[in-house]
Amino acid sequence: MTTKRKILITLLVIVLAIVAIGAWLVRGNPADYSVDEVTGTEPLLSDPEAESFPTVAIAEPIGWKDGEAPTAAEGLTVSRFAEGLDHPRVVHTLPNGDVLVTLTRAPAGEPMGGIEGLIAGWLFEKAGAAGASPEQLVLLRDEDGDGVAETRKTLRDDLASPSGIEWRDDKLYIANHDALVSFDYELGADVVSGDPVKLMDLPPAGSHWMRNIFMPPAGDVIYIAVGSDSNIGENGMEIEKGRAAIHEYNIESGKSRIYATGLRNANGMAYNPWSEELWTTVNERDMLGSDMVPDYLTNVPIGVNYGWPWFYYKDNVDDRVEASMPATLPGYVRNPEFALGPHVAALGLVFTEEGSRMGASFGSGAFIARHGSWNRKPPSGYDLVYVAFDERGNPQGKPVEVLGDFLTGEGTTRGRPTWVDWAGDGALLMTDDTAGIIWRVIAESAEPAAKPVAPVRSSLAPRRNLTGDPQGRFNQDFSREAKAAAAAKAAE
C-alpha cells in the first residue's frame, strides 16, 4: 500500500470518527417521559443520567408575522400590548396603570475560552440572546384604554443589565446585575432624573445574571433573587458566595441578609395571597438527562435551604458535586412544593389578585412564563401556564397551558415567554423577549376577581401554669398506651 493511500485512509477514518462523534452529540439524550409526568406535587423523578456533553436542542427564534399570535386557552383572547421592543424582560405595572419594562441582555464580559466558550457563544446566538444589552427602562402607557400602549418613553438608558423593578412611596427600585439601586420617581412622570442611589452590592454577572426583586404588600423589605454562577459548583464554591440565594434588604435600616439558600436560579417572586408568604420559581441543574431535574415553584420560608448543589428534591444526592458538603445540610434540605417540568426555564410569576380578569377557569392560582429549554429533546416550556391553588394556598393538579404554539414544530420558535404582571384593567401582560412583544391576555366577559381571602388561622393559647399532678397524668397516659399496645400485639 502506498504512502498516499495510507494517508487518505487515515484521513477518512478521522473524518468518519468526527462525523460519528458529532452525530452522537447532536442526538444527545432524548426524554423517556412526557413533561406532564415530571410535573405536579408528586413528579416522576427518574434515575439521573450524567452527561459529559449537554443535550443541545435549541429552537431558533424566528419572530411572529403580522397578524400572528399565540394560541390562547378557551375563553381568553390575546393581543399585542406593545411591540418593536429590544429584548424586553421584566414587566411591572405601577399603581396608576403605567407599565415599566426593562430592555436588557447579559452584561458584557471577558469572552470564555476553549470549547466551553465556543459552545456558550453559539448557544446565545442561536437562542436569540446574544448582542449588546440595551440597558433601558421604558415606560408604556395605554391612554385611551384600548389595550394597546400608545405612549412609549425611555426613562433611563444608562443602567447595567437591569432586571427587577419595584415602586413604593415615590421611590423606584431597579436591580442591575451588580447592585440594587433606587431613584426618586413620582407616578405619572415621563422622566427619571438624577443619579441612582446604590442600596447594596450584588454578586455581578455570572452564568445567571438576572436579578429579580419583590416587595411584599406590607413591610419595608425588598427580596432580591441571585442565581448561581455555575451548574453544580464546578468552578468552586468561593465564587458562589452570595449566589444561589434570595437576599433581603431592609429599606429603613439599610442592612441586608441572606434570606434563603440552595436555590440554583430563583427567578419570579410573588406573594401567595392565601398563605401570605413569599413564593418563587427556580431553574434546577442541567446535564442529568432530558427528564431531570424538574424546575419548580415553591414557598420560601425564612432560612430555608433547597439543597443546591449537593441535593435536589430534598434527599436526592448529586454525586457529580466535588465541593465538600456542610455537615449540617442533610437535615435541613426542603422539598419543593410543585414541579414545573424538566428544563422548562420557569421565569415570571404572578398569583391571581383582586381585579384580575382571567375567568373562573383561571380564577385561583399562579401564572408562570416558561421561557423554554435549550437542552431537552423534545423541547419543553415555550408557553405560559397556570397552576391552580386550593383555598389554603397549596398548588394542585398539573400546569394548564394559557398561551401556546410558540414552537413551530420545525426546530424553531416564534418567541419565548419571559415575564408576567397584571395590567391596571385586570389583563395579564407577558413579555416575549426574542420577539420584542408584550402580549395582553384577558377573558373579555369576565368580571373582575374578588380579593383572595386567607383562611383564618388560630393558635392554641399558651399554657402559663401547670395544675394538678403532671407526673401522675403522664403515668396514667403511658400506662393506658402500653396496655393498648400489648392488647394489639396479643391479638395478632
Side-chain angles (χ1 to χ4, degrees):
M1 185 180 296
T2 65
T3 301
K4 184 177 180 180
R5 185 178 178 85
K6 289 180 180 179
I7 293 174
L8 288 174
I9 292 174
T10 301
L11 289 174
L12 179 61
V13 170
I14 293 173
V15 169
L16 290 174
I18 292 174
V19 170
I21 292 172
W24 180 77
L25 290 175
V26 170
R27 179 184 180 277
N29 189 355
D32 294 319
Y33 303 99
S34 68
V35 174
D36 196 56
E37 291 176 282
V38 196
T39 62
T41 56
E42 297 182 6
L44 187 158
L45 298 179
S46 60
D47 292 334
E49 299 181 39
E51 299 173 335
S52 299
F53 296 93
T55 297
V56 177
I58 296 176
E60 185 174 359
I62 60 172
W64 298 87
K65 297 177 182 178
D66 289 343
E68 286 187 334
T71 300
E74 185 176 357
L76 302 176
T77 59
V78 57
S79 59
R80 302 185 187 205
F81 177 76
E83 54 187 317
L85 301 167
D86 187 0
H87 215 251
R89 297 286 280 187
V90 174
V91 61
H92 179 76
T93 303
L94 297 172
N96 68 343
D98 284 350
V99 174
L100 301 182
V101 59
T102 46
L103 310 187
T104 186
R105 289 186 178 87
E110 291 294 324
M112 297 172 62
I115 295 177
E116 184 179 2
L118 290 173
I119 293 175
W122 178 76
L123 289 175
F124 269 74
E125 186 72 35
K126 191 81 170 173
S133 176
E135 313 288 38
Q136 292 182 1
L137 174 68
V138 172
L139 179 145
L140 302 169
R141 184 176 293 147
D142 176 11
E143 301 198 56
D144 59 8
D146 65 349
V148 178
E150 297 85 17
T151 300
R152 182 181 306 183
K153 304 269 186 186
T154 299
L155 301 183
R156 303 289 298 202
D157 60 2
D158 57 351
L159 302 171
S161 293
S163 297
I165 309 167
E166 279 288 1
W167 183 91
R168 186 76 56 88
D169 298 331
D170 292 335
K171 289 288 184 181
L172 181 64
Y173 300 93
I174 302 291
N176 288 323
H177 77 93
D178 57 356
L180 175 66
V181 300
S182 70
F183 301 88
D184 291 329
Y185 179 73
E186 292 186 9
L187 294 178
D190 290 344
V191 295
V192 175
S193 58
D195 294 329
V197 176
K198 182 191 287 188
L199 303 180
M200 66 176 289
D201 289 313
L202 299 173
S207 298
H208 303 114
W209 58 271
M210 284 191 71
R211 305 287 180 257
N212 184 37
I213 59 177
F214 174 74
M215 298 181 71
D220 58 355
V221 300
I222 302 175
Y223 298 108
I224 311 105
V226 179
S228 70
D229 189 43
S230 63
N231 185 35
I232 52 169
E234 62 271 17
N235 299 323
M237 294 305 292
E238 182 63 28
I239 199 173
E240 301 293 351
K241 185 176 181 180
R243 301 181 191 267
I246 292 176
H247 298 244
E248 181 188 76
Y249 175 81
N250 187 290
I251 297 172
E252 184 175 348
S253 68
K255 295 181 179 180
S256 65
R257 63 177 177 174
I258 297 290
Y259 180 85
T261 57
L263 302 148
R264 177 177 175 266
N265 186 24
N267 283 284
M269 292 184 288
Y271 187 73
N272 182 325
W274 302 283
S275 62
E276 300 180 322
E277 61 183 345
L278 180 68
W279 280 61
T280 188
T281 57
V282 179
N283 293 177
E284 253 294 352
R285 66 204 68 203
D286 298 323
M287 297 179 67
L288 285 180
S290 288
D291 293 312
M292 292 288 282
V293 173
D295 299 341
Y296 57 86
L297 167 69
T298 197
N299 59 343
V300 192
I302 185 170
V304 73
N305 189 305
Y306 278 95
W308 184 88
W310 297 278
F311 292 93
Y312 59 89
Y313 278 78
K314 190 170 177 61
D315 55 2
N316 294 278
V317 178
D318 193 330
D319 295 327
R320 303 170 300 168
V321 180
E322 297 180 356
S324 298
M325 181 192 302
T328 58
L329 183 62
Y332 288 92
V333 176
R334 188 180 179 92
N335 193 60
E337 294 293 322
F338 191 90
L340 292 168
H343 311 293
V344 296
L347 297 182
L349 162 70
V350 291
F351 285 93
T352 49
E353 62 179 38
E354 184 178 11
S356 57
R357 293 172 58 199
M358 297 294 283
S361 298
F362 303 102
S364 181
F367 295 85
I368 300 146
R370 301 196 299 188
H371 200 227
S373 61
W374 62 266
N375 55 351
R376 185 180 190 273
K377 290 188 174 182
S380 55
Y382 298 95
D383 54 13
L384 172 68
V385 295
Y386 169 79
V387 175
F389 274 62
D390 64 23
E391 67 279 0
R392 299 185 66 83
N394 300 308
Q396 55 189 346
K398 298 285 187 179
V400 177
E401 187 174 89
V402 177
L403 290 182
D405 285 339
F406 285 79
L407 293 169
T408 65
E410 299 175 353
T412 58
T413 182
R414 300 177 182 90
R416 300 189 75 184
T418 308
W419 219 257
V420 284
D421 200 9
W422 295 106
D425 63 356
L428 184 65
L429 302 178
M430 187 197 78
T431 57
D432 182 343
D433 61 358
T434 60
I437 296 172
I438 298 179
W439 299 103
R440 176 179 180 270
V441 192
I442 192 169
E444 297 284 3
S445 60
E447 292 294 323
K451 182 179 179 179
V453 178
V456 177
R457 297 177 175 87
S458 59
S459 301
L460 292 175
R463 190 167 187 176
R464 302 189 183 281
N465 54 65
L466 296 175
T467 58
D469 179 11
Q471 182 64 47
R473 187 180 302 110
F474 172 82
N475 291 337
Q476 292 175 5
D477 291 343
F478 180 81
S479 176
R480 183 166 50 251
E481 292 177 5
K483 289 180 180 179
K489 186 173 182 181
E492 292 180 352

